[in-house]
Amino acid sequence: MKKIVILISGRGSNMRSLLEAKLPCTIAAVISNKADAGGLEIAQQHGVKTAVVSHKDFSSREDFDAALAKEIDRHQPDLVVLAGFMRILTAGFVNHYGGRLINIHPSLLPAYTGVNTHERALADGVRIHGCTVHFVTAELDHGPIIVQAAVSVLPSDTVQSLSARVLQQEHHIFPQAIRWLCSKKLWLEKDGRVAGLHTSPIATPLISPALD
Ligand code: GAR
């Protein structure tokens, strides 16, 4: 069975969705860069080993990433999963986990990389927003896309309501992506293509606002 390590920085709702999804893999550890991340307690309640590697203990990104990689590699994972891990990673770290590093991002990439994605989507008046699971490359919030979910943006939406609706979809697509990867139904080719999945031909288009 494949082994995964999950990295978090905060409340850990995506991590929880993975812990509860009965994935065909062993969750070897949850590691946070913040000692007060709420997700650590949730992981412990699920009987998963936790560790903290605080970025504050290191004077450079390189040193932090090296310490983080050392902690991760104790578990020899097949996949490293960023579930709300809010640190920019060095190219050295990313390359070390080439093809094995997965992230979830709260936008339809390549739109809205970085932070405050929901605020920016609302300010732009987009009608459709969403979330993306992708392989991580050295460029922030880029990398081969595995799966995306889209939601309508409603005229009444606030950052809170929109982020809640997107988060609900994150909790659907993230476990699915990890399941595909762990069961070898999906993988990254050497040329950077995501391969293996045959998208269902029956896909309902999302039109927002709905047509009369
Ligand atoms: C999620 O919305 C995730 O997509 C986002 O942080 C949130 C973490 O929530 N990640 C990023 O913005 C990474 N660029 P969670 O701790 O409840 O899973």
Side-chain angles (χ1 to χ4, degrees):
M1 196 175 282
K2 288 200 187 266
K3 267 202 269 181
I4 71 172
V5 165
I6 303 174
L7 306 189
I8 62 167
S9 296
R11 67 189 162 182
S13 74
N14 274 293
M15 175 211 71
R16 185 202 287 267
S17 78
L18 298 177
L19 297 183
E20 291 178 350
K22 300 193 169 57
L23 295 170
C25 61
T26 303
I27 300 179
V30 169
I31 302 173
S32 174
N33 64 311
K34 289 185 165 190
D36 62 355
L40 288 171
E41 204 177 316
I42 300 171
Q44 286 154 11
Q45 283 161 5
H46 281 78
V48 175
K49 276 186 209 150
T50 61
V52 174
V53 182
S54 172
H55 58 278
K56 290 188 180 152
D57 293 343
F58 301 90
S59 55
S60 72
R61 256 184 218 290
E62 285 73 18
D63 289 352
F64 168 66
D65 281 8
L68 182 62
K70 196 170 167 197
E71 183 61 38
I72 294 170
D73 289 347
R74 289 178 48 213
H75 303 283
Q76 300 191 312
D78 300 285
L79 279 183
V80 178
V81 177
L82 308 181
F85 186 70
M86 302 305 281
R87 297 291 302 170
I88 293 174
L89 296 162
T90 58
F93 182 96
V94 172
N95 293 336
H96 178 66
Y97 296 106
R100 296 189 289 146
L101 191 56
I102 316 300
N103 182 44
I104 184 144
H105 184 76
S107 77
L108 291 172
L109 291 175
Y112 306 116
T113 61
V115 294
N116 302 326
T117 57
H118 309 304
E119 285 90 330
R120 287 153 58 210
L122 283 175
D124 284 347
V126 298
R127 302 295 196 180
I128 294 175
H129 184 49
C131 50
T132 303
V133 180
H134 65 104
F135 287 99
V136 176
T137 55
E139 194 177 348
L140 180 68
D141 296 331
H142 280 72
I145 291 172
I146 296 170
V147 57
Q148 296 182 301
V151 303
S152 297
V153 180
L154 309 177
S156 59
D157 262 329
T158 60
V159 170
Q160 286 70 29
S161 64
L162 181 58
S163 65
R165 214 156 55 253
V166 171
L167 191 65
Q168 227 177 11
Q169 297 309 313
E170 294 185 36
H171 297 165
H172 287 309
I173 65 171
F174 209 17
Q176 173 69 85
I178 306 302
R179 186 174 286 118
W180 281 331
L181 288 159
C182 288
S183 54
K184 296 187 190 158
K185 287 191 174 150
L186 184 148
W187 61 90
L188 187 65
E189 294 283 5
K190 286 205 167 58
D191 63 5
R193 267 184 324 111
V194 176
L197 260 194
H198 301 291
T199 310
S200 159
I202 308 158
T204 316
L206 174 61
I207 301 176
S208 177
L211 304 182
D212 283 339

